[in-house]
Coordinates of all heavy atoms in Angstrom, one line a residue:
A1089 N 103.5 120.6 145.5 CA 103.7 122.0 145.4 C 103.5 122.4 143.9 O 102.7 123.5 143.6 CB 104.9 122.4 146.0
K1090 N 104.2 121.7 143.1 CA 104.1 122.0 141.6 C 102.6 121.9 141.2 O 102.1 122.7 140.4 CB 105.0 121.0 140.9 CG 105.0 121.4 139.4 CD 106.2 120.6 138.7 CE 106.3 121.0 137.1 NZ 106.7 122.5 137.0
E1091 N 101.9 120.9 141.6 CA 100.6 120.7 141.1 C 99.6 121.9 141.7 O 98.9 122.4 141.0 CB 100.0 119.4 141.8 CG 98.7 118.9 141.1 CD 98.1 117.6 141.7 OE1 99.0 116.9 142.4 OE2 97.1 117.2 141.6
A1092 N 99.9 122.2 143.0 CA 99.1 123.3 143.5 C 99.4 124.7 142.8 O 98.5 125.5 142.6 CB 99.3 123.5 145.0
I1093 N 100.7 124.9 142.5 CA 101.1 126.2 141.9 C 100.5 126.2 140.5 O 100.0 127.3 140.0 CB 102.6 126.2 141.8 CG1 103.2 126.4 143.3 CG2 103.1 127.4 140.9 CD1 104.7 126.0 143.4
T1094 N 100.5 125.1 139.8 CA 99.9 125.0 138.4 C 98.5 125.4 138.5 O 97.9 126.1 137.6 CB 100.2 123.7 137.8 OG1 101.6 123.4 137.7 CG2 99.6 123.5 136.4
L1095 N 97.7 124.7 139.4 CA 96.2 125.0 139.6 C 96.0 126.4 139.8 O 95.1 127.1 139.2 CB 95.7 124.1 140.7 CG 95.4 122.6 140.4 CD1 95.2 121.8 141.7 CD2 94.2 122.4 139.3
L1096 N 96.7 127.0 140.8 CA 96.5 128.5 141.2 C 96.8 129.3 139.9 O 96.0 130.3 139.7 CB 97.4 128.9 142.3 CG 96.9 128.4 143.7 CD1 97.9 128.6 144.7 CD2 95.6 129.0 144.1
K1097 N 97.8 129.1 139.2 CA 98.2 129.9 138.0 C 97.0 129.9 137.0 O 96.7 130.9 136.4 CB 99.5 129.4 137.4 CG 100.1 130.3 136.5 CD 101.4 129.7 135.8 CE 102.6 129.6 136.9 NZ 103.8 129.1 136.3
R1098 N 96.5 128.6 136.9 CA 95.4 128.5 135.9 C 94.2 129.1 136.4 O 93.4 129.7 135.4 CB 95.0 126.9 135.7 CG 94.4 126.5 134.5 CD 94.1 125.0 134.5 NE 95.4 124.2 134.3 CZ 95.6 123.1 134.9 NH1 94.6 122.4 135.5 NH2 96.8 122.4 134.8
M1099 N 94.0 129.4 137.7 CA 92.8 130.0 138.0 C 93.0 131.5 138.0 O 92.1 132.3 138.3 CB 92.5 129.6 139.6 CG 92.1 128.2 139.8 SD 92.0 127.6 141.4 CE 91.6 125.9 141.3
G1100 N 94.2 132.0 137.8 CA 94.4 133.4 137.8 C 94.9 134.0 139.1 O 94.9 135.3 139.2
T1101 N 95.2 133.2 140.1 CA 95.7 133.6 141.4 C 97.0 133.0 141.6 O 97.1 131.9 142.3 CB 94.6 133.4 142.5 OG1 93.4 133.9 142.3 CG2 95.2 133.7 143.9
P1102 N 98.1 133.5 141.1 CA 99.3 132.9 141.4 C 99.7 132.7 142.8 O 99.4 133.5 143.7 CB 100.4 133.8 140.6 CG 99.7 135.1 140.4 CD 98.2 134.8 140.5
C1103 N 100.5 131.5 143.0 CA 101.0 131.2 144.3 C 102.1 132.2 144.5 O 103.1 132.2 143.9 CB 101.5 129.8 144.4 SG 102.1 129.4 146.1
L1104 N 102.1 133.0 145.7 CA 103.1 133.9 146.0 C 104.3 133.2 146.7 O 105.5 133.5 146.4 CB 102.5 135.0 147.0 CG 103.6 136.0 147.5 CD1 103.9 136.9 146.5 CD2 103.1 136.6 148.7
I1105 N 104.0 132.2 147.6 CA 105.1 131.8 148.6 C 104.8 130.5 149.0 O 103.7 130.0 149.2 CB 105.2 132.9 149.6 CG1 106.5 132.7 150.4 CG2 104.0 132.8 150.6 CD1 106.9 134.0 151.3
H1106 N 105.8 129.7 149.5 CA 105.7 128.4 150.1 C 106.4 128.5 151.4 O 107.6 129.0 151.5 CB 106.4 127.4 149.1 CG 106.2 125.9 149.7 ND1 106.7 125.5 150.8 CD2 105.6 124.8 149.1 CE1 106.4 124.2 151.0 NE2 105.8 123.9 150.0
Q1107 N 105.9 127.9 152.5 CA 106.5 127.9 153.8 C 106.8 126.5 154.2 O 106.0 125.8 154.8 CB 105.6 128.6 154.8 CG 106.3 128.9 156.1 CD 105.3 129.6 157.1 OE1 105.1 129.3 158.2 NE2 104.7 130.7 156.6
P1108 N 108.1 126.0 154.0 CA 108.5 124.7 154.4 C 109.2 124.7 155.6 O 109.8 125.6 156.1 CB 109.4 124.2 153.2 CG 110.2 125.5 152.9 CD 109.1 126.6 153.0
K1109 N 109.3 123.6 156.4 CA 110.3 123.4 157.5 C 111.6 123.1 156.9 O 111.8 122.2 156.2 CB 109.8 122.2 158.3 CG 110.4 122.0 159.7 CD 109.7 121.0 160.5 CE 110.3 121.0 161.9 NZ 109.7 119.9 162.8
Y1110 N 112.6 124.0 157.3 CA 113.9 123.8 156.5 C 114.9 124.5 157.5 O 114.8 125.5 158.1 CB 113.9 124.8 155.2 CG 115.1 124.6 154.4 CD1 116.0 123.6 154.5 CD2 115.4 125.6 153.5 CE1 117.1 123.4 153.7 CE2 116.5 125.6 152.7 CZ 117.3 124.5 152.9 OH 118.5 124.4 152.1
S1111 N 116.0 123.7 157.8 CA 117.2 124.1 158.6 C 118.3 123.2 158.3 O 118.2 122.3 157.5 CB 116.8 123.9 160.0 OG 116.7 122.7 160.4
M1112 N 119.4 123.4 158.9 CA 120.6 122.4 158.8 C 120.3 121.1 159.0 O 120.8 120.2 158.5 CB 121.7 123.2 159.6 CG 122.5 124.3 159.0 SD 123.7 124.7 160.3 CE 124.8 125.8 159.2
F1113 N 119.3 120.8 160.0 CA 119.0 119.6 160.4 C 117.7 118.9 159.7 O 117.5 117.7 159.7 CB 118.8 119.4 161.9 CG 120.1 119.5 162.8 CD1 120.0 120.0 164.1 CD2 121.3 119.2 162.2 CE1 121.1 120.0 164.7 CE2 122.4 119.2 162.9 CZ 122.3 119.7 164.3
V1114 N 117.0 119.7 159.0 CA 115.8 119.3 158.3 C 115.9 119.8 156.9 O 115.5 120.9 156.6 CB 114.5 119.8 158.9 CG1 113.3 119.3 158.2 CG2 114.4 119.3 160.5
R1115 N 116.3 119.0 155.9 CA 116.6 119.5 154.6 C 115.7 118.9 153.4 O 116.3 118.8 152.4 CB 118.1 119.2 154.3 CG 119.0 119.9 155.4 CD 120.5 119.6 155.3 NE 121.0 120.2 154.1 CZ 122.4 120.1 153.7 NH1 123.2 119.6 154.6 NH2 122.8 120.5 152.6
W1116 N 114.5 118.4 153.7 CA 113.9 117.8 152.7 C 113.3 118.9 151.6 O 113.2 118.5 150.5 CB 112.5 117.3 153.2 CG 111.5 118.1 153.9 CD1 111.3 118.4 155.2 CD2 110.6 118.9 153.2 NE1 110.4 119.3 155.3 CE2 109.8 119.7 154.2 CE3 110.1 119.0 151.9 CZ2 108.7 120.5 153.9 CZ3 109.0 119.9 151.6 CH2 108.4 120.5 152.6
A1117 N 113.5 120.1 151.9 CA 113.2 121.1 150.9 C 114.1 121.1 149.8 O 113.9 121.7 148.7 CB 113.1 122.5 151.5
E1118 N 115.3 120.6 150.0 CA 116.3 120.5 148.9 C 116.1 119.4 148.0 O 116.8 119.4 147.0 CB 117.8 120.4 149.7 CG 118.2 121.6 150.5 CD 119.4 121.3 151.3 OE1 120.0 120.2 151.2 OE2 119.9 122.2 152.1
E1119 N 115.2 118.5 148.3 CA 114.9 117.3 147.5 C 113.9 117.7 146.5 O 112.9 117.0 146.3 CB 114.5 116.2 148.3 CG 115.5 115.7 149.4 CD 115.1 114.8 150.4 OE1 113.9 114.3 150.3 OE2 115.8 114.5 151.4
G1120 N 114.1 118.8 145.7 CA 113.3 119.1 144.5 C 112.5 120.3 144.8 O 112.1 121.0 143.8
L1121 N 112.0 120.6 146.0 CA 111.1 121.8 146.3 C 111.7 123.0 145.9 O 111.0 123.9 145.2 CB 110.8 121.8 147.7 CG 109.7 122.9 148.1 CD1 108.4 122.7 147.4 CD2 109.5 122.9 149.7
L1122 N 112.9 123.3 146.4 CA 113.5 124.6 146.0 C 113.6 124.9 144.5 O 113.5 125.9 144.0 CB 114.9 124.7 146.6 CG 114.9 124.9 148.2 CD1 116.3 124.9 148.8 CD2 114.2 126.2 148.7
D1123 N 113.9 123.7 143.8 CA 113.9 123.9 142.4 C 112.6 124.2 141.7 O 112.6 125.1 140.8 CB 114.5 122.6 141.8 CG 115.9 122.2 142.1 OD1 116.7 123.2 142.4 OD2 116.3 121.1 142.1
V1124 N 111.6 123.6 142.2 CA 110.3 123.8 141.7 C 109.9 125.3 142.0 O 109.4 125.9 141.1 CB 109.2 122.9 142.4 CG1 107.8 123.4 142.2 CG2 109.3 121.5 141.9
L1125 N 110.2 125.7 143.2 CA 109.8 127.2 143.5 C 110.6 128.2 142.7 O 110.1 129.1 142.1 CB 110.1 127.5 145.1 CG 109.4 126.6 146.0 CD1 109.7 127.0 147.4 CD2 107.9 126.7 145.7
E1126 N 111.8 127.9 142.3 CA 112.7 128.8 141.5 C 112.2 128.7 140.1 O 112.0 129.7 139.5 CB 114.1 128.2 141.4 CG 115.1 129.1 140.7 CD 116.4 128.7 140.7 OE1 116.8 127.5 140.9 OE2 117.3 129.6 140.6
E1127 N 111.7 127.4 139.5 CA 111.4 127.4 138.2 C 110.0 128.2 138.1 O 109.6 128.8 137.0 CB 111.0 126.0 137.9 CG 112.3 125.2 137.6 CD 112.0 123.6 137.7 OE1 110.8 123.2 137.7 OE2 113.0 122.9 137.8
E1128 N 109.1 128.1 139.0 CA 107.8 128.6 139.1 C 107.7 130.1 139.5 O 106.7 130.7 139.5 CB 106.8 127.8 139.9 CG 106.7 126.4 139.4 CD 106.0 126.2 138.1 OE1 105.3 127.1 137.7 OE2 106.1 125.1 137.4
G1129 N 108.8 130.6 140.0 CA 108.8 132.0 140.4 C 108.0 132.2 141.7 O 107.3 133.3 141.9
V1130 N 108.1 131.3 142.6 CA 107.4 131.3 143.8 C 108.5 131.5 145.0 O 109.5 130.9 144.9 CB 106.7 130.0 144.1 CG1 106.0 130.0 145.6 CG2 105.6 129.8 143.1
G1131 N 108.1 132.4 146.0 CA 109.1 132.7 147.1 C 109.1 131.5 148.1 O 108.2 130.6 148.0
C1132 N 110.1 131.5 149.0 CA 110.3 130.5 149.9 C 110.6 131.2 151.3 O 111.5 131.9 151.4 CB 111.5 129.6 149.6 SG 111.7 128.2 150.8
I1133 N 109.9 130.7 152.3 CA 110.1 131.4 153.7 C 110.2 130.1 154.6 O 109.1 129.7 155.2 CB 109.1 132.4 154.0 CG1 109.3 133.0 155.4 CG2 107.6 131.7 153.9 CD1 108.5 134.2 155.7
P1134 N 111.3 129.6 155.0 CA 111.5 128.5 155.9 C 111.1 128.8 157.4 O 111.2 130.0 157.8 CB 113.1 128.2 155.9 CG 113.5 128.8 154.7 CD 112.6 130.0 154.4
F1135 N 110.5 127.8 158.0 CA 110.1 128.0 159.5 C 111.0 127.0 160.1 O 111.5 126.0 159.6 CB 108.6 127.8 159.7 CG 108.0 126.4 159.5 CD1 108.0 125.6 160.7 CD2 107.5 126.0 158.4 CE1 107.5 124.4 160.5 CE2 106.9 124.6 158.3 CZ 106.9 123.9 159.3
S1136 N 111.0 127.2 161.5 CA 111.8 126.3 162.4 C 113.3 126.3 161.8 O 113.9 125.3 161.7 CB 111.4 124.9 162.5 OG 110.1 124.9 163.3
P1137 N 113.9 127.5 161.5 CA 115.2 127.5 161.1 C 116.3 127.1 162.0 O 117.5 126.8 161.5 CB 115.5 129.0 160.6 CG 114.5 129.8 161.6 CD 113.4 128.9 161.7
L1138 N 116.0 127.2 163.3 CA 116.9 126.7 164.3 C 116.6 125.3 164.9 O 117.0 124.9 166.0 CB 116.9 127.8 165.4 CG 117.3 129.3 165.1 CD1 117.4 130.2 166.2 CD2 118.7 129.3 164.3
A1139 N 115.8 124.7 164.1 CA 115.4 123.2 164.5 C 115.0 123.2 165.9 O 115.5 122.3 166.8 CB 116.7 122.3 164.4
Q1140 N 113.9 123.9 166.2 CA 113.3 124.0 167.5 C 114.4 124.3 168.7 O 114.3 123.9 169.9 CB 112.6 122.7 167.9 CG 111.4 122.5 167.0 CD 110.3 123.4 167.2 OE1 110.0 123.6 168.4 NE2 109.6 123.7 166.1
G1141 N 115.4 125.2 168.3 CA 116.4 125.5 169.2 C 117.6 124.7 169.3 O 118.6 125.0 170.1
L1142 N 117.6 123.6 168.6 CA 118.8 122.7 168.7 C 120.1 123.5 168.1 O 121.2 123.3 168.4 CB 118.6 121.5 167.7 CG 117.8 120.3 168.3 CD1 117.6 119.1 167.4 CD2 118.5 119.8 169.6
L1143 N 119.8 124.3 167.1 CA 120.9 125.1 166.4 C 121.2 126.4 167.2 O 121.2 127.5 166.6 CB 120.6 125.3 165.0 CG 120.6 124.0 164.1 CD1 119.8 124.3 162.8 CD2 122.0 123.6 163.9
T1144 N 121.2 126.3 168.5 CA 121.6 127.4 169.3 C 122.6 126.8 170.3 O 122.9 125.7 170.4 CB 120.4 127.9 170.2 OG1 119.9 127.0 171.1 CG2 119.2 128.3 169.1
N1145 N 123.1 127.7 171.1 CA 124.1 127.2 172.2 C 123.4 126.6 173.4 O 124.0 126.2 174.4 CB 125.0 128.4 172.6 CG 124.2 129.5 173.3 OD1 123.0 129.4 173.6 ND2 125.0 130.7 173.3
R1146 N 121.9 126.5 173.2 CA 121.4 125.8 174.5 C 121.6 124.4 174.8 O 121.5 123.9 175.9 CB 119.8 126.1 174.2 CG 119.0 126.0 175.5 CD 117.8 126.9 175.4 NE 117.4 127.1 176.8 CZ 116.0 127.3 177.2 NH1 115.2 127.4 176.2 NH2 115.6 127.6 178.3
Y1147 N 121.9 123.7 173.7 CA 122.0 122.2 173.9 C 123.5 121.7 173.6 O 123.7 120.5 173.4 CB 121.1 121.5 172.8 CG 119.6 121.9 173.1 CD1 119.0 122.9 172.4 CD2 119.0 121.2 174.0 CE1 117.6 123.1 172.7 CE2 117.6 121.4 174.3 CZ 117.0 122.3 173.5 OH 115.7 122.7 173.9
L1148 N 124.5 122.6 173.8 CA 125.9 122.2 173.7 C 126.2 121.2 174.6 O 127.2 120.4 174.4 CB 126.7 123.5 173.7 CG 126.7 124.4 172.5 CD1 127.5 125.8 172.9 CD2 127.3 123.9 171.4
N1149 N 125.6 121.2 175.8 CA 126.0 120.3 176.9 C 124.9 119.4 177.3 O 124.7 119.1 178.4 CB 126.5 121.1 178.2 CG 127.8 121.9 177.7 OD1 128.8 121.4 177.3 ND2 127.6 123.2 178.0
G1150 N 124.1 119.1 176.3 CA 122.8 118.1 176.7 C 121.5 118.9 176.7 O 121.4 120.1 176.2
V1151 N 120.6 118.4 177.5 CA 119.3 119.0 177.6 C 119.1 119.8 178.9 O 119.0 119.2 179.9 CB 118.2 117.9 177.4 CG1 116.7 118.5 177.5 CG2 118.3 117.1 176.2
P1152 N 119.1 121.1 178.9 CA 118.9 121.8 180.2 C 117.5 121.8 180.6 O 116.5 121.6 179.8 CB 119.3 123.2 179.7 CG 119.1 123.4 178.3 CD 119.1 121.9 177.7
E1153 N 117.3 122.0 181.9 CA 116.0 122.2 182.6 C 115.3 123.4 182.0 O 115.9 124.4 181.8 CB 116.1 122.3 184.1 CG 116.1 121.0 184.8 CD 114.9 120.1 184.6 OE1 113.7 120.7 184.8 OE2 115.0 119.0 184.3
G1154 N 113.9 123.1 181.8 CA 113.1 124.3 181.2 C 113.2 124.5 179.9 O 112.4 125.4 179.3
S1155 N 114.1 123.9 179.1 CA 114.2 124.0 177.6 C 113.0 123.3 177.0 O 112.3 122.5 177.6 CB 115.5 123.3 177.1 OG 115.5 121.9 177.3
R1156 N 112.8 123.6 175.6 CA 111.7 123.0 174.9 C 111.9 121.5 174.7 O 110.9 120.9 174.9 CB 111.8 123.7 173.5 CG 110.5 123.5 172.7 CD 110.4 124.2 171.5 NE 110.4 125.6 171.5 CZ 110.2 126.5 170.6 NH1 110.4 126.2 169.4 NH2 110.1 127.8 170.8
A1157 N 113.0 121.0 174.8 CA 113.2 119.6 174.7 C 112.8 118.9 176.0 O 112.3 117.8 176.1 CB 114.7 119.2 174.3
S1158 N 113.0 119.6 177.1 CA 112.8 118.9 178.4 C 111.2 118.9 178.7 O 110.8 118.1 179.4 CB 113.4 119.8 179.6 OG 112.7 121.1 179.6
K1159 N 110.5 119.7 177.8 CA 108.9 119.7 177.9 C 108.4 118.6 177.1 O 107.3 118.3 177.2 CB 108.4 121.1 177.7 CG 108.8 122.2 178.8 CD 108.4 123.5 178.2 CE 109.1 124.6 179.2 NZ 108.8 126.0 178.7
G1160 N 109.3 118.3 176.0 CA 108.9 117.2 175.1 C 107.6 117.4 174.2 O 106.8 116.3 174.1
V1161 N 107.3 118.6 173.7 CA 106.1 118.8 173.0 C 106.4 118.6 171.5 O 106.2 117.7 171.0 CB 105.5 120.1 173.4 CG1 104.2 120.3 172.4 CG2 105.1 120.3 174.7
F1162 N 107.2 119.5 171.0 CA 107.6 119.5 169.4 C 108.9 119.0 169.4 O 109.4 118.5 168.4 CB 107.4 120.9 168.9 CG 106.0 121.4 168.8 CD1 105.5 122.3 169.8 CD2 105.2 120.9 167.8 CE1 104.3 122.8 169.6 CE2 103.9 121.4 167.7 CZ 103.5 122.2 168.6
L1163 N 109.8 119.1 170.4 CA 111.2 118.6 170.5 C 111.4 117.7 171.7 O 111.1 118.1 172.8 CB 112.2 119.8 170.5 CG 113.6 119.5 170.6 CD1 114.1 118.8 169.2 CD2 114.5 120.7 170.8
K1164 N 111.8 116.5 171.5 CA 111.9 115.5 172.6 C 113.3 115.3 173.0 O 114.1 115.2 172.2 CB 111.2 114.2 172.2 CG 109.6 114.3 171.9 CD 109.1 113.1 171.6 CE 107.5 113.3 171.5 NZ 107.0 114.4 171.1
A1165 N 113.6 115.0 174.3 CA 114.9 114.9 174.8 C 115.5 113.7 174.1 O 116.7 113.6 174.0 CB 114.9 114.9 176.3
V1166 N 114.7 112.6 173.9 CA 115.2 111.3 173.3 C 115.8 111.6 172.0 O 116.7 110.8 171.4 CB 114.0 110.2 173.2 CG1 113.1 110.6 172.3 CG2 114.6 108.9 173.0

Side-chain angles (χ1 to χ4, degrees):
K1090 188 168 181 64
E1091 198 181 338
I1093 291 164
T1094 301
L1095 283 167
L1096 283 170
K1097 196 180 288 183
R1098 200 178 296 152
M1099 292 171 186
T1101 299
C1103 183
L1104 175 76
I1105 195 165
H1106 185 300
Q1107 190 175 129
K1109 190 174 192 178
Y1110 184 26
S1111 69
M1112 283 178 160
F1113 285 159
V1114 179
R1115 299 177 66 177
W1116 65 265
E1118 295 171 3
E1119 297 166 9
L1121 178 63
L1122 289 172
D1123 292 334
V1124 167
L1125 301 182
E1126 184 176 30
E1127 287 162 16
E1128 299 290 343
V1130 175
C1132 179
I1133 181 164
F1135 73 91
S1136 291
L1138 304 181
Q1140 296 290 318
L1142 280 179
L1143 290 164
T1144 68
N1145 59 13
R1146 198 147 199 213
Y1147 297 95
L1148 287 172
N1149 300 303
V1151 182
E1153 269 302 309
S1155 66
R1156 199 173 284 182
S1158 70
K1159 295 169 187 171
V1161 182
F1162 293 101
L1163 179 66
K1164 297 181 174 28
V1166 71

